[in-house]
Amino acid sequence: PATRAQPRPTHTAPNAYHAYNDLDSQKISMTSWNVKSSNTISIKKILDIDVYLEYTAPYTTANTRMASNFYSEIGFTRRILNNKGRLRLTLADLPNVYREKELTTYGKTTINFYQKRPTRFVALSFNYNFKIGKEFKKKQIESSNSEEKSRM
């Protein structure tokens, strides 16, 4: 059975805000929002699946209008070698839509900026935890009542 991982449950963060800028004779006002969500699902003794999603609606910064953006990432982690090793497959930005897109206007000047970086990738990683040396054990220290009295 699949269960949500206890240490890393679902985290969702919605935000909404309003920006207003008054640049010389130009007034820019815009309300925007974004939401981020991460979730981890564990399938006991098989693998952990973690998903990260982020969407940002169009927003304004000074006199620049930024376009909406969407980013996604999914990871599959398998514990191996007596739980000392981790084999992980990561898939990022599968729809390949993450980009920078801005429109700036000021007076008679207009700048239309667009840049697409290589954000889609597939990665395979391996981690191993080493243990060297003695393992410390918690000792239970008992003090007698006479020891306590001698300290006072």
Side-chain angles (χ1 to χ4, degrees):
T3 60
R4 253 194 212 134
Q6 291 302 327
R8 298 188 299 173
T10 299
H11 294 287
T12 302
N15 297 300
Y17 52 92
H18 180 79
Y20 176 81
N21 295 303
D22 190 355
L23 298 169
D24 296 331
S25 62
Q26 190 176 11
K27 293 178 179 23
I28 300 170
S29 177
M30 185 175 215
T31 300
S32 187
W33 60 278
N34 73 340
V35 64
K36 298 176 185 180
S37 181
S38 64
N39 193 358
T40 300
I41 298 168
S42 292
I43 302 171
K44 287 187 178 186
K45 297 184 181 181
I46 298 175
L47 61 88
D48 294 337
I49 303 168
D50 54 278
V51 178
Y52 176 80
L53 301 170
E54 179 179 350
Y55 175 78
T56 303
Y59 64 97
T60 185
T61 301
N63 62 333
T64 302
R65 295 187 185 271
M66 313 295 251
S68 63
N69 232 337
F70 175 73
Y71 180 77
S72 61
E73 189 172 309
I74 186 165
F76 303 92
T77 305
R78 170 98 170 138
R79 295 180 186 105
I80 56 176
L81 304 172
N82 293 328
N83 206 22
K84 290 184 179 184
R86 303 274 191 277
L87 189 60
R88 179 174 172 79
L89 175 67
T90 303
L91 309 166
D93 195 20
L94 287 180
N96 202 24
V97 294
Y98 191 80
R99 82 279 191 246
E100 296 171 69
K101 187 175 180 182
E102 305 168 3
L103 176 64
T104 304
T105 55
Y106 186 74
K108 294 181 182 180
T109 304
T110 300
I111 301 169
N112 195 356
F113 175 80
Y114 180 86
Q115 182 174 12
K116 176 70 179 110
R117 299 173 194 240
T119 55
R120 179 192 291 178
F121 68 85
V122 176
L124 184 63
S125 61
F126 173 73
N127 296 322
Y128 186 81
N129 293 326
F130 294 95
K131 274 190 180 178
I132 298 174
K134 291 183 177 180
E135 188 173 314
F136 289 101
K137 294 181 181 175
K138 290 183 180 179
K139 292 182 180 179
Q140 189 174 7
I141 300 173
E142 293 183 26
S143 59
S144 67
N145 197 17
S146 60
E147 288 178 24
E148 289 291 326
K149 288 180 182 177
S150 67
R151 287 188 211 152
M152 296 180 159

